Amino acid sequence: MGISTGKWKKYQLMKKNEKLSQYLPETYLLNENTFWHTIGKYGAVMIKPTKGYMGKGIVQVASKGKEQYEFHVLEKSYVVEGREKTFEHLMKDYCLKKHYIVQQKIPLVTVKGAPYDLRVMVQRRKNQYDWTVTGKLAKVAAKGFVLTNYPKYLITAEEAIKHSSFKAPRSHLQEEIDRISVLTAEYLSDYYTNTRTFGLDIGLDDQANIWIIEANLAPSVSIFKALKNEEVYKRILKYRRG
């Protein structure tokens, strides 16, 4: 039986690595204690199925004070009052059938007022050890959405970073993103030995901190067709073929 490909297992593996752990949002398996601990500490959390794709099943819950909690699902938001009712609603309406994690909400930096994260493709050729960042792009959230899985548009990472609302210096940020992405692929490939492509979701906050939100083992490459530079998409396909 192979190692689990779920979000929780990959988080546990990366958390053991001293070089990677500092870039991980605080994450736990969801239960009542971990939910209240995390939302109490950070004010907002992301609830995610341990196995899922395209952002399906993800819920943001944010504290609004006076025991009021805002649920944000896709483009819709609403408030539930009371701690007991809030957790009961979360479990019954969203988390009944699967295993879920609760994760610190990263306040993503914005471009033109919209939050975004980066998809970083890290690949290696057949029978070779060296990993290479073959493509990066920014997924800019659509109006009303807190998730970037339903982007308003896709742009290069360079363009997004250039026009971001950073409040801190960002020199050599792209080089640091590449370094961390390659390090992640090198480490996880020791466990997922047949994987030659990782699609990393990388978040940036307004202090230019880098966050590893998720490491995808079977990422879609078609989103790179949206970039004007066709060479990025072609390079990704070339590596995928071997």
Side-chain angles (χ1 to χ4, degrees):
M1 185 176 180
I3 190 169
S4 171
T5 59
K7 295 180 179 67
W8 176 239
K9 184 61 180 179
K10 286 180 285 186
Y11 174 82
Q12 287 180 299
L13 292 174
M14 289 188 286
K15 191 66 178 175
K16 293 192 299 183
N17 185 296
E18 290 184 4
K19 293 179 180 178
L20 294 179
S21 61
Q22 61 185 306
Y23 302 107
L24 298 174
E26 192 170 331
T27 304
Y28 302 96
L29 277 177
L30 175 65
N31 60 44
E32 191 166 3
N33 288 332
T34 57
F35 175 76
W36 291 119
H37 163 78
T38 314
I39 200 169
K41 186 173 181 179
Y42 297 103
V45 296
M46 305 303 293
I47 308 297
K48 303 178 180 181
T50 55
K51 291 189 176 180
Y53 61 96
M54 292 292 291
K56 292 183 178 180
I58 296 180
V59 182
Q60 177 181 292
V61 186
S63 174
K64 292 299 178 182
K66 297 182 179 179
E67 294 198 358
Q68 293 187 322
Y69 299 91
E70 182 183 63
F71 283 68
H72 202 134
V73 184
L74 298 178
E75 78 279 21
K76 297 179 181 179
S77 62
Y78 58 92
V79 172
V80 176
E81 295 192 14
R83 285 170 62 96
E84 186 176 339
K85 285 184 178 179
T86 296
F87 190 73
E88 182 179 322
H89 174 66
L90 175 67
M91 297 306 293
K92 286 187 175 180
D93 285 60
Y94 296 108
C95 305
L96 196 59
K97 296 181 180 179
K98 298 179 180 179
H99 296 293
Y100 282 75
I101 58 174
V102 53
Q103 187 173 78
Q104 164 194 358
K105 163 68 177 178
I106 302 302
L108 296 174
V109 72
T110 62
V111 59
K112 296 181 180 179
Y116 72 88
D117 63 15
L118 303 177
R119 169 57 58 88
V120 183
M121 298 294 290
V122 194
Q123 297 175 280
R124 66 178 177 186
R125 297 186 183 278
K126 289 180 181 178
N127 303 317
Q128 290 191 7
Y129 179 79
D130 292 338
W131 289 88
T132 302
V133 173
T134 53
K136 296 197 297 285
L137 58 70
K139 299 174 291 176
V140 183
K143 185 177 181 180
F145 283 78
V146 293
L147 295 179
T148 63
N149 302 79
Y150 306 91
K152 181 179 181 180
Y153 55 90
L154 303 167
I155 55 177
T156 65
E158 181 180 14
E159 184 178 354
I161 289 171
K162 181 180 179 180
H163 297 288
S164 291
S165 56
F166 290 116
K167 297 177 181 178
R170 57 182 188 274
S171 59
H172 308 295
L173 184 56
Q174 290 220 61
E175 291 89 340
E176 186 67 2
I177 291 169
D178 289 357
R179 184 189 69 81
I180 294 167
S181 298
V182 168
L183 182 64
T184 302
E186 288 175 344
Y187 178 70
L188 287 179
S189 64
D190 287 341
Y191 298 93
Y192 302 101
T193 54
N194 294 325
T195 300
R196 293 193 300 107
T197 297
F198 287 97
L200 304 182
D201 289 329
I202 299 292
L204 305 171
D205 62 27
D206 63 8
Q207 298 299 309
N209 295 312
I210 298 170
W211 298 90
I212 305 171
I213 297 174
E214 189 175 345
N216 302 281
L217 301 182
S220 170
V221 302
S222 61
I223 59 173
F224 284 87
K225 289 182 179 179
L227 297 182
K228 294 179 180 179
N229 183 359
E230 296 179 358
E231 293 305 312
V232 176
Y233 179 62
K234 291 178 180 178
R235 180 168 61 246
I236 292 170
L237 289 182
K238 190 175 181 180
Y239 267 77
R240 173 171 274 192
R241 296 188 189 107

